[in-house]
Amino acid sequence: MSGTVGWGIAGCGWVARDHALPALLSDPGARVVALHDRDPAALARMPVEGAHRSTDLAGFLATPGLDAVYVAVPNAAHRPLVEAAAAAGKAVLCEKPLAADVADARAVVTAARDAGVLLGTAYDQRWHPAHVRLRELVPELGTVTAVRVVYCCWLPADWTPDGRPHDNWRVDPVRAGGGAAIDLAPHGLDLAGVLLGEDVVELSARLQTRVHDYGVDDGALLTGTTAGGVLVGLHVAFNTPDALPRRRLEVVGTRGMAVAVDTMGQTAGGSLTLYRPGPVDVPFAGTSPFQAQFAAFTAAVAGRARWPYDPARDLALHRLLLTALSGGPA
Ligand SMILES: NC(=O)c1ccc[n+]([C@@H]2O[C@H](COP(=O)([O-])OP(=O)(O)OC[C@H]3O[C@@H](n4cnc5c(N)ncnc54)[C@H](O)[C@@H]3O)[C@@H](O)[C@H]2O)c1
């Protein structure tokens, strides 16, 4: 492919408007050619000139110059959009979690494989500059024994990202597939594997619905073990006030420990400290995880670089998570 990559956004809600679109607009290798949402008001709120806007999926996919589709609809709606985009020959970057259940996630990966198109999961935390730097520091920690992640927030039933009335599908067990755990744990689970170079292969979960009045978990503790024996612990929650310390990532080894505070999230902020044993601030620089993620996927679609993550591996992690959340085999 020559020239810029033509992107379409399917699902023009919070993450697409506030994080994906700015990332794409800042990338000289990308141009946004098409937008799709079933809600015309959501389409109208996307601040981009010249893109074809359509509530009709077929019309969206037929937009001339469309090369890649970013899927950012609620979890249970990922599958039909990915299947349609893949069948139309488009590369697909699908938001996490891959789907609301295992069967749909498998279908997502199969659709891309059968169509021969590139599929990526939008685990944006892989691309945070602090996490990229932390990955380089891991060999300095000695034998890594544990990864501990806290990724929590406040998400009541009437939560809205921007003050406008919002359809809070995140607390709908059918459309989300669960609550805090399926929404937030995929990030830490993916990140642990990316940082260590080996994935969690055994996982169990304890769920709570303690604070909010809804039918999904509002908090969870997950414990896992990687193939090489590293312990991985995740605390994720919708029941922690945002004003409290609530985002922390620790990698613990026999010679040192790395601690990232307030890095888990959509922006490039936060801090990184290395303890060996005394604390040293570790500088990091880079774009937002969304910018880096879209730049990498755009480069892969353009044939300038390889997308380094296998969808089969992302599917295996999704299956592991959902098996743990259901308390039994998926
Ligand atoms: N990587 C991250 O940091 C991150 C952050 C937020 C959300 N997400 C993921 O992104 C996805 C969207 O989340 P959000 O917070 O932006 O949701 P949202 O509710 O703000 O936006 C979803 C949009 O999809 C549209 N929509 C719903 N069903 C549709 C369908 N069948 N066809 C077309 N449009 C449809 C809605 O009208 C809405 O505009 C979810 O999978 C979520 O897990 C990821």
Side-chain angles (χ1 to χ4, degrees):
M1 175 182 298
S2 61
T4 55
V5 169
W7 275 90
I9 298 177
C12 297
W14 170 48
V15 74
R17 186 182 60 248
D18 289 4
H19 300 291
L21 183 62
L24 283 170
L25 293 178
S26 72
D27 184 348
R31 65 193 194 288
V32 178
V33 299
L35 303 171
H36 167 65
D37 199 290
R38 65 181 184 187
D39 176 5
L43 277 177
R45 280 198 293 270
M46 292 292 272
V48 54
E49 300 281 323
H52 172 64
R53 293 170 199 248
S54 178
T55 53
D56 170 50
L57 181 59
F60 163 77
L61 291 172
T63 306
L66 180 65
D67 303 309
V69 173
Y70 169 60
V71 172
V73 291
N75 306 340
H78 288 180
R79 175 181 176 173
L81 268 69
V82 175
E83 287 178 333
K90 312 303 175 191
V92 180
L93 182 63
C94 180
E95 263 301 345
K96 50 51 63 180
L98 268 176
D101 61 28
V102 175
D104 274 9
R106 197 179 291 121
V108 159
V109 173
T110 302
R113 190 195 59 210
D114 290 353
V117 300
L118 179 65
L119 172 69
T121 313
Y123 289 126
D124 57 295
Q125 294 304 298
R126 297 165 170 171
W127 305 97
H128 189 292
H131 303 158
V132 172
R133 184 75 188 94
L134 203 167
R135 188 177 179 178
E136 295 166 355
L137 295 177
V138 166
E140 297 181 31
L141 303 178
T143 301
V144 175
T145 53
V147 175
R148 303 189 292 239
V149 176
V150 175
Y151 194 22
C152 300
C153 64
W154 183 254
L155 197 133
D158 62 356
W159 179 80
T160 161
D162 52 17
R164 283 195 203 89
H166 180 71
D167 169 23
N168 192 14
W169 57 267
R170 273 185 177 73
V171 299
D172 175 345
V174 175
R175 288 186 295 163
I182 193 169
D183 191 54
L184 297 170
H187 287 295
L189 207 51
D190 171 68
L191 195 50
V194 168
L195 292 174
L196 298 173
E198 61 181 50
D199 278 322
V200 174
V201 292
E202 287 172 19
L203 187 70
S204 61
R206 279 180 181 271
L207 305 181
Q208 69 180 173
T209 306
R210 179 160 170 77
V211 172
H212 298 303
D213 184 18
Y214 45 58
V216 294
D217 52 285
D218 65 10
L221 275 179
L222 296 99
T223 54
T225 313
T226 67
V230 180
L231 297 176
V232 175
L234 313 174
H235 176 212
V236 292
F238 284 165
N239 57 25
T240 303
D242 289 349
L244 295 177
R246 61 186 180 85
R247 295 180 291 156
R248 189 175 176 91
L249 163 65
E250 301 176 340
V251 183
V252 189
T254 51
R255 287 207 309 268
M257 176 171 162
V259 180
V261 176
D262 291 342
T263 56
M264 307 279 302
Q266 288 87 23
T267 64
S271 65
L272 178 60
T273 306
L274 178 63
Y275 295 82
R276 288 196 55 188
V280 177
D281 282 347
V282 179
F284 56 86
T287 62
S288 82
F290 273 76
Q291 263 179 276
Q293 167 181 261
F294 277 102
F297 201 83
T298 296
V301 174
R304 286 187 274 110
R306 194 180 67 83
W307 179 254
Y309 299 105
D310 182 357
R313 174 268 180 187
D314 297 350
L315 174 60
L317 270 195
H318 184 77
R319 187 189 301 117
L320 188 76
L321 174 63
L322 266 65
T323 302
L325 298 184
S326 68

